Structure formats: structure tokens, C-alpha cells
Amino acid sequence: MGLKLQQSYHHSVTVKVNEQMGTKRGYTFIQANRAWLPKFLLLWVMVMAFLSTWIYKKMDADNKVRRKEVLSTMCDQRARMLQDQFSVSVNHVHALAILVSTFHYYKDPSAIDQETFAEYTARTAFERPLLSGVAYAERVVHSEREKFERQHGWTIKTMKREPSPIRDEYAPVIFSQETVSYIESLDMMSGEEDRENILRARATGKAVLTSPFRLLGSHHLGVVLTFPVYKSKLPPSPTEQERIEATAGYLGGAFDVESLVENLLGQLAGNQAILVNVYDITNSSDHLIMYGHQNQDGDLALLHESKLDFGDPFRKHQMICRYHQKAPTSWTALTTAFLFFVICLLVGYILYGAAIHIVKVEDDFHEMEELKVRAEAADVAKSQFLATVSHEIRTPMNGILGMLALLLDTDLSSTQRDYAQTAQVCGKALITLINEVLDRAKIEAGKLELETVPFDLRSILDDVLSLFSEKSRNKGVELAVFVSDKVPEMVMGDPGRFRQIITNLVGNSVKFTERGHIFVKVHLAENPKPMEDPKAETCLNGGSDEDALVSGARQFKTLSGYEAADERNSWDSFKHLVADEELRYDASVKMKAADEASQSVTLMVSVEDTGIGIPLIAQDRVFMPFMQADSSTSRNYGGTGIGLSITKCLVELMGGHISFISRPQVGSTFSFTTVFGRCKRASFSDTKKPNAEDLPSGFRGLKAVVVDGKPVRAAVTRYHLKRLGMLVEFANSVKIAASACGKNGSSCGSKTQPDIVLVEKDSWLSGEDGGLSLRTLDRQQNGHVFKSPKMILLATNITNAELEKARAAGFADTTIMKPLRASMVAACLQQVLGTGKKRQPGRGMLNGSSVLGSLLCGKKILVVDDNMVNRRVAAGALKKFGAAVECAESGKAALKLLQLPHSFDACFMDIQMPEMDGYVYHIFNIGQLTI
Amino acid sequence: MDLVQLQRQLVDYRTSLYHEGFLDEQFTQLQSLQDENNPDFVVEVVSLFFEDSERLLNELSKALEQQVIDFKRMDAQVHQLKGSSSSIGAHRVQKLCIVFRNYCEAQNVEGCLKCLQQVKHEYGIIKTKLESMFQLEQQILNAGGSIPV
């Protein structure tokens, strides 16, 4: 059993864990890729590094392009300017050439001599800023040399200032600017460069340039410009030969390129930043430098070449520009890229951190969930362990109790008996505790299942009350129950558990109440609001002067007159409930029909006591298991404090909730709601359940007057009488009752003649003239009517003296001891009225003897005993309960009777009979018997 | 008036039987089993008891006279007697039977003899008392009264 239990428990836990694992599958994306997170981060960083490099490169490239553009524009600008200035100078030289041809050759005699030329050129030197000087050399063929030398008075010299050797032709300088006067008389054709230049110039008719060389005067790098001067006008588009023929001389000028460029660059902005070189690239393999340093410095990486056209188609020039300094590191690009990288890095890290955090949180969450499952499993295990252990304890405990009971039946000395009885009492207490723990464990383990059977709520309440009647009577506490008429007679639910709840609550109340009352009240939770009309009273006397009855101490309108914690139960509200039911009875018939249509009924049950109450500090842990108000409570009153927690669980299982109002030293009122199913009228009328108590119907239509000063108590009395089908009226005092009866009697209508007068002991004792009026009442009745009403005294506890006094006063008929129960009242009335069966035998009013009477009805029972007398007694006892009894005097005989098929429902057997052993086995073996 | 006196006498008598320990609770229980369906139940049972007891007492006397005493059998018989006496609530007889059984178990002949005498004595008393009580009841019933509880 225990193993099986454990297995199933284990199974359930595994299932739970599996379920948990099932939910674990629902990982988030992040959780699923947790291993990839660092890789993601690394990838991110790499991508970002790449991106920022790209950004840097891009920005740097932009910079370079811009730099290059700047360089090219600057270079082109310089080249253009140089070219412009150069061509301006060339044009001037050209003009000068035309001037020479015009004034030297076309005029005869010549209008120009050295003096004029020198002066003119000196004065127009500003026009040719690039030329260090101009000179004119005449073409002299060798045949004319002598004539020429004579004419000018000097001999033609070579460049080296030696008399020129004989050549085909010469080109001696005849006019020269003062700045270059040193070349006068020098044969220009003696210099290699110049000669070539001259030949080329006269062939093309255009200005030609020499390759750069160091100029004679300044030693600057320079070029010589040569222009041909023709004697006669040339035909349009002359041939080369015609040009040579027509050539008269040559005009030359030395360009000081170095100072030219220097000058030019000086005029421009940014000349510091760039480095300019000018080359003659006529010979493409050997660039001749015209300006700038041959050794290359500056930024070699970037250069710009600009073509220069100085008007000489034979010569090619170019300008190369460079930056002085290397391109500065681009700090903007670098910073931008770096910042971008840093920001991306941070963003990546934040995302990574967040992901890690999410993963961690989720991990924690799963861990917690697992722990929770484990904790719950542990809790269930605990409960199950408790249940198992309790169960295992209970079994031997029952053995112990049984054996103790057997022991007590044997002959014991008084000391032994005392010991055994103590042991039995302790055992019973233990088993009660174990049962409670078992209940709690069952509830916690969710194993407690409520049954749904039809049962009579009222009879269960009566039963519970009868359980505590002895105790409450001893304490002098008034115990009462009231069930609203609207509560259906039969409801569907768990009678055992309902009884347990009520027993717990009433048990607690009885335990903690020393005076006053305990009042159990049941009504529908969806009760309509109290009637507006407060005068709806059913009391004969209006019920407004209760206070006058008891002078002195203040009385509360509760059941016993003691103050109760919850005011709702006092008469002021209670009377509305009662009155409401009275007045609305007709209307409610319709309502009832409607109510019955609904499947369930919610009841509000309250248990009110006037006990010690619950201390305020302890009120919030009243429903905790094993908690009592304080530790002294258990010392004074006993108990484990588990009852209320079980009660709460049960109430909640039954679909209700429990609450309480308590005032220390005043009392407590526990109220709970519970939901029961409605019971179809038809279903329970044909199948009477054994727990539905049969109330005798012999009292239907009888009239009763209840004399009670306390309306709540009167209502309770009426409730019980109404259950017996009696018509009930209230009277506040005996006097009023008497007068009312008298009136009725004299008016001889007598249809309202009461059959029974029930007088509350308090009312009787408080009225001084109680006895007297009673007798008056009696007499009056005797005088006028055939039958006198039966007088019945109601009392919670009564002393012998009081009893005697009551007898004397006229309550000869009977005294009903409280708490009232319908069945008990019925029994008493039966006795008084002499109707129905004979008096109930035995001590006291045996509650439910009629139930017992039919308990074994129709059952066939076999009694086996060798003792004739015993057999007879047992048979008698069983017959008393309606069973058909057969006897056997020995096991052997019993066995014969028990040959299958037999019709016995049960077999009672004395197991101490001689010659038993074998038979017991056989009889047991036959089975299907309650032994 | 005579009837009431008789009734009171019966009640007093019965009370004295309880007080002196001749009868116990069991007898009350027995009375409670008697009802209209079974009006002579108590008398019936008590008569059965008388028959049974006399038989047993005789057998016991005989057994004790034997040379070889069968204590086991005696024990069983005393047990029977104890059972029936406790069934009707004959308290004193029952108590004596317990002592008797102890002697039987101890195989004490002396004790057994003494006990047998005592049991016989007590049996005689209870028989007389019950018979006179029944007579009283009969008288009351004959006079048309009911037997008080």
C-alpha cells in the first residue's frame, strides 16, 4: 500500500517535472542562441571596425581627391599664366621684329641704328618683363662678310669672342639692348643652340625657342627666343625656300625662365604650399629642367602635370606641381571613424549586456520555477507522508483502543480499570487528532472528495446539537438552532463534511463559552433585504417592551440576552428575517418555484457565541493550522488548533467562504456560506435516505403558544414546532398568554384555542404571578372548554427545587430540556398528549429510536452462541431493531445454516466458544458476511 | 390506591436490588428490550437463565465429587455461567464466577468447593428476589396498572 502510494506520488511528481520541461521548450530567441552571444559580439565589433575603416578610407579619399583637384587647379592656373605672359612677351618680340624690318630694311637709308634700337628697346622693356634683353642679328652670307665688316667697322666674332672662322653665313648681332650689349658683333650662328634656332626660325617664320641653358649674364636657366626678320613681304603661304631666301636677319631675346616663374609664383596665393617645376620635354627620354630643383623633394606621391605651349611647335614644355608637404593626416576622418567605432562598440556591448542579462534572468526564472515545482512536490510529499503516517498510526491505534475496550470488559481492579480508562481516553484523543491531521493532509493533497447525496440539513443540525447538549446543559449555556423556512428541506451535498464543519464551530463555541448562548442560524445567502416596515411583528404584544421585563441590567436582544459580537444576529435584524418569511410566504411560493429551477442554493450559516472571543492580535491567524489565540488557550481549553483550518478548507471545498467577527470578552460569530445542490422533490420522496429523519406527523394542525420574553428564543422554539407542523403564536409573558386564551375562550370561537402552552423558564420565573396566572389559565380553560391545553416548561437547566416548584405551579405535564430538537420535542409531546406509540423506554428521550427501530428492518441475522441465555438476549436485542434473527448454538450448526446459498445479511458470533477454531475459519471463508 | 402502593413497592424493591448489587445495568437494558411485540421477554430470559444455571450448578457439583477433577471442563462451565449471569445482569453471581474461574485455573479444589457454595447461595438469593419481583409485577398487571419504568 505504502509502496504503491509512493509510486503514484513519484509518478505524479515526474509528470509535473515533465510538464515543466515542456514549458521550458518555449525558450526565447536569445535564450536559444546563448552560446552564440560572444560570437555575435565579436562579429559585431569586427563589422563595426571594418565599417569605421571604410568610413576613414572614404573620407581620406575624398580629402585626397580634393587635394588633387586643388593641386591641379593651382597648377593649371600657373601654367596658363606663365603661358600667357610668355606669349605676351613673344608677341612683343614679334612686334619688334616687324619694327626692325619696317625701319631697317624698307627705309633706305635705315631709320634704325644701334642707338635708336637700344633706346627704343630700353623704353619698351616693361612690355617684355620676361626677357632679359633683345638683340638683332643680321644675316650675312660669306660673300658679303667683308663688305659688312667694313661697313660696321668690326669683325664678326664667335661666341668665344674670337674672330669668326669662315662659314657659309653669319648672324652677327648689330643692334642690341643695353642689358645684352656684350653680345654685339657676336655671331649667333657660332653657338650650337642659337644656330639651330636661327635655322628653324627662318624656315618656319615663327618664334622658336632653344632648350634651356644657363644664360650668359645671370647664369639663370633660360631659353633664347629667335624671330626671323624678312626683307620683303612674303607671299601668302610661302614655302620654306622662299622664307630662307627672304630672311634678312634674326631678332632674339633671352627668356630668364627662372626669374620669370619666380616672379609669377610670387604674385599668386598659395605659392608656399606647392612646388613647381617646369621642364622642356622635347626629348621625351630626357627632360630638361627649366625651373625648379632637379632633386625631387616635397610630396612625391601626388603631382600634377600641366602642358605649356610657348608657341613653338617644335618644343614641348610642361609644368609639374607638387605639394611641399605630404598630405597631413586627416584628423577629422580619423576622429569621426574612431568615434563611430567607439559608439558602435558601446552599443554592441550594451546589447550584449542586455542579452546576457535576459539570459540570466530567464535562467533564474527557470531555476525558480524548478525550485517551485520541487517545493510544491515537497509540500505534496509532506502531506502525503503525513497522511500515510497518520493512516498507519490509526490502524494500530484502533487495535489499541479495541483491545482497551476489551480489557475494560474484563474483570479489573479499580486501579487497573482507572489506568485502562485513562489509556482509552488518551487513545481516543490521539485518534481524534490523527483524524484531524489526516483530514488536513487529505485536503492539502487534494485527495478529499466531497460526495453529493441528498440530506436533511435540519436533522444534521439537530444531531450536532444533541452531541453538545450535555456539555452545554452542564455549563448552563443555551444552545439553539434556527433554520430559515426558505432553506429547502433536502439539499444535495456532503452531509458528513457539513456536519464536521458545524461540529467544529459549535465545539469551539461550547469550549470557549461559559455563559450566555450558542446560536446556529441558517438562511439563504441571497435573502432579500429586511422589510422596510419594522412593525411587521408577529408577537402578540408588539415585542417592544422586552427591556421592561428585566429591570436593571441592560439586556441585549439576542438569544440569551447577552451581548453578541455580531449585531446582525440580534433581534432587530432577525425579526425582519422572520417577519419577512411570514409575510412573504404566499409570494414566496411563486418565488420558490423559480428558485427550484436554479440548480444550486447558497446557504449562509452563522454560529454565534457569547464566549471569551478572540484577541484582536490573534484574529488574523485564526485559520492557520495549529494556531491558537495564544499558547495559554491550549492550556486552559485544550485542543490543537487544527479544527478551524480544516473547517476553512472544507468550506472552501464546498464552494463557500468563512469569516468571523469577534470581540474579546463579548463573543465570536463565525459565518460561512456554502453551496448545495437543489434536490428534486420527486427524487427524495420516493427514496428516503436513512439520514433523513422521520418526524412524526401526528402534530399537524395543533396550536401552540410560546411564552417567552426573548423574541429570538421564541423564534427558535417556533421553528422547531413548525417543523412538526404546528401553528405557533408568541406571547411575551404568561399573563398575556392567559388573557389571550381567556378571551378566546369566552368568545367561545375556540378555533384558536391552543392545544399546548410552552413556557420558557425565565419567563415563568420572572413573572411573580407566574404560577397564579397559569392556574388561572388552567381554570378558565376548564370552565369553558372541554380540553385544557398542556403546559410544558422549557428550560436549559433546572434544579430539583425549581422542578418541584414547577410541578406545583401546574407544569405537571413535562419539562423539555434544551437544546430543543424537533425529534425530542416530538417525543415529549407524544408523551404529553398520549398520542402515537407508548412512551419511549430507557433513560431519557432516546433520540431517533424510531430510526433505530427500522435500522435493521428486513435484515436476516444469524446469532451463534453456545450460551442459551446470551443467545436469547442477543436475539431479543436484534429483534428490537427489526431484524429477523436465527440462532445457532455451535459453530457446527452455524456452518450448516451458512451453507451457500444462504440469506443471512450478518452473523454475530461468540469467538470464545469452545470448539471454535476450525469453524471460524470456515465461516469467515464463506465470506460476504459482516462478522 | 392499592395499585399505586404496589407500583411504589415494585420500584422500591427494584431499586434496592440495584443498590445491593444483585442486579446491574444489564438488567435495565434487558427491560428496555421488552415491548409490545415481546411482552414477556424479561421473564422468558430469566427463566432460561434459571434452567441453565441449575443445570450447570448440578454438573459442577458432580464434577467436584469426582476422583479426578476435570478442571478444564469446569472452567468452561463456569465461563458459561458467568456469561449467562452477566447477560441478565446478575451482578453478584457474575463476580463470583470470575473468582471461581481463577480457582479452576489454579486447580484449587478447596477454593472451587468454597466458590461453588457461594455461587449456589447467591444464585438462590437472586432467584428468590427476581421471582418475588415478577410476582409483584404480575399483581400490578392483574390490578390493571402499568409497570413503572
Side-chain angles (χ1 to χ4, degrees), chain B residues 40-69:
Chain B
D40 296 324
F41 182 71
V42 178
V43 178
E44 200 183 313
V45 170
V46 171
S47 324
L48 265 173
F49 168 67
F50 290 160
E51 274 174 41
D52 197 39
S53 303
E54 266 155 35
R55 179 180 60 83
L56 284 168
L57 286 173
N58 277 336
E59 281 184 17
L60 282 168
S61 307
K62 274 183 199 163
L64 275 172
E65 283 163 17
Q66 299 293 316
Q67 292 289 314
V68 185
I69 298 168

Side-chain angles (χ1 to χ4, degrees), chain A residues 745-746 776-788:
Chain A
S746 60
T776 323
L777 178 61
D778 224 3
R779 210 171 27 248
Q780 272 179 342
Q781 302 301 336
N782 282 333
H784 292 281
V785 203
F786 17 93
K787 201 175 159 198
S788 64

Side-chain angles (χ1 to χ4, degrees), chain A residues 514-731:
Chain A
E514 298 298 336
R515 54 167 180 68
H517 67 268
I518 294 154
F519 184 29
V520 183
K521 194 177 73 173
V522 184
H523 56 88
L524 288 185
E526 59 265 287
N527 226 358
K529 276 179 269 167
M531 287 280 293
E532 295 93 288
D533 182 11
K535 291 219 167 95
E537 297 271 330
T538 48
C539 278
L540 253 66
N541 199 28
S544 55
D545 54 352
E546 293 100 327
D547 285 350
L549 273 172
V550 184
S551 54
R554 185 168 174 232
Q555 283 279 322
F556 292 90
K557 291 172 181 178
T558 57
L559 187 75
S560 63
Y562 282 97
E563 189 180 5
D566 187 0
E567 243 105 270
R568 281 178 301 181
N569 275 359
S570 80
W571 173 242
D572 289 330
S573 60
F574 189 68
K575 69 185 171 189
H576 295 314
L577 186 65
V578 177
D580 196 33
E581 276 170 15
E582 287 278 311
L583 290 186
R584 292 210 175 170
Y585 187 73
D586 295 331
S588 66
V589 172
K590 224 189 273 175
M591 237 171 63
K592 253 184 193 169
D595 277 350
E596 267 151 31
S598 70
Q599 285 301 305
S600 65
V601 55
T602 308
L603 298 183
M604 166 69 100
V605 184
S606 62
V607 177
E608 175 189 276
D609 69 54
T610 54
I612 57 167
I614 301 164
L616 292 173
I617 36 162
Q619 288 197 356
D620 47 353
R621 51 186 162 88
V622 158
F623 293 117
M624 303 256 283
F626 303 109
M627 285 282 187
Q628 279 192 330
D630 69 69
S631 55
S632 67
T633 310
S634 59
R635 278 203 292 279
N636 290 337
Y637 299 97
T640 53
I642 201 174
L644 275 177
S645 85
I646 293 173
T647 304
K648 184 170 195 278
C649 292
L650 287 176
V651 166
E652 276 159 10
L653 268 175
M654 290 169 112
H657 53 87
I658 187 163
S659 63
F660 68 95
I661 295 173
S662 182
R663 276 194 283 156
Q665 305 314 321
V666 170
S668 318
T669 303
F670 281 83
S671 324
F672 67 91
T673 57
T674 151
V675 181
F676 287 124
R678 265 179 205 283
C679 191
K680 293 274 172 289
R681 221 163 254 283
S683 72
F684 70 78
S685 58
D686 29 272
T687 55
K688 278 274 182 197
K689 293 284 162 183
N691 63 358
E693 190 181 3
D694 273 330
L695 288 175
S697 54
F699 306 107
R700 264 178 219 296
L702 289 184
K703 283 196 69 80
V705 173
V706 174
V707 180
D708 196 339
K710 300 212 175 71
V712 176
R713 196 163 54 187
V716 170
T717 311
R718 194 186 58 159
Y719 153 69
H720 288 291
L721 295 176
K722 271 181 92 174
R723 282 173 65 192
L724 296 171
M726 295 166 77
L727 301 172
V728 185
E729 282 186 351
F730 293 154

Side-chain angles (χ1 to χ4, degrees), chain A residues 99-149:
Chain A
L99 183 103
V100 170
S101 69
T102 311
F103 290 100
H104 187 59
Y105 293 108
Y106 300 166
K107 294 268 186 213
D108 198 23
S110 165
I112 299 174
D113 57 2
Q114 167 59 31
E115 235 170 287
T116 324
F117 188 85
E119 196 180 341
Y120 177 77
T121 50
R123 283 171 70 177
T124 58
F126 69 91
E127 296 270 23
R128 307 173 298 275
L130 307 177
L131 292 168
S132 45
V134 286
Y136 178 71
E138 199 174 39
R139 183 185 181 204
V140 179
V141 290
H142 187 65
S143 54
E144 293 169 357
R145 180 176 167 175
E146 268 176 61
K147 182 187 163 197
F148 178 81
E149 281 179 347

Side-chain angles (χ1 to χ4, degrees), chain A residues 409 411-412 837-838 841-843 866-873 875-880 910 912 914, chain B residues 25-26 29-30 32-36 38 41 44-45 48-49 52 79-80 82-84 87-88 94 98:
Chain A
D409 282 346
D411 300 302
L412 297 171
K837 299 176 219 162
K838 279 190 184 179
R843 299 140 289 157
D866 58 336
N867 189 320
M868 201 198 315
V869 178
N870 287 354
R871 207 159 59 219
R872 187 70 191 86
V873 171
L878 289 169
K879 271 181 188 159
K880 177 84 186 160
D910 178 3
Q912 283 190 331
Chain B
E25 283 271 285
Q26 185 62 34
Q29 300 276 355
L30 211 59
S32 74
L33 289 176
Q34 179 169 317
D35 58 13
E36 56 263 52
N38 214 349
F41 182 71
E44 200 183 313
V45 170
L48 265 173
F49 168 67
D52 197 39
H79 176 66
Q80 288 265 340
K82 185 192 139 206
S84 46
S87 264
I88 66 147
Q94 188 208 342
I98 293 164

Side-chain angles (χ1 to χ4, degrees), chain A residues 31-53:
Chain A
Q31 187 75 355
N33 297 305
R34 55 192 309 170
W36 286 90
L37 284 180
K39 286 176 193 167
F40 277 139
L41 180 68
L42 199 68
L43 190 70
W44 171 266
V45 170
M46 276 161 65
V47 166
M48 286 310 129
F50 177 76
L51 249 168
S52 22
T53 321

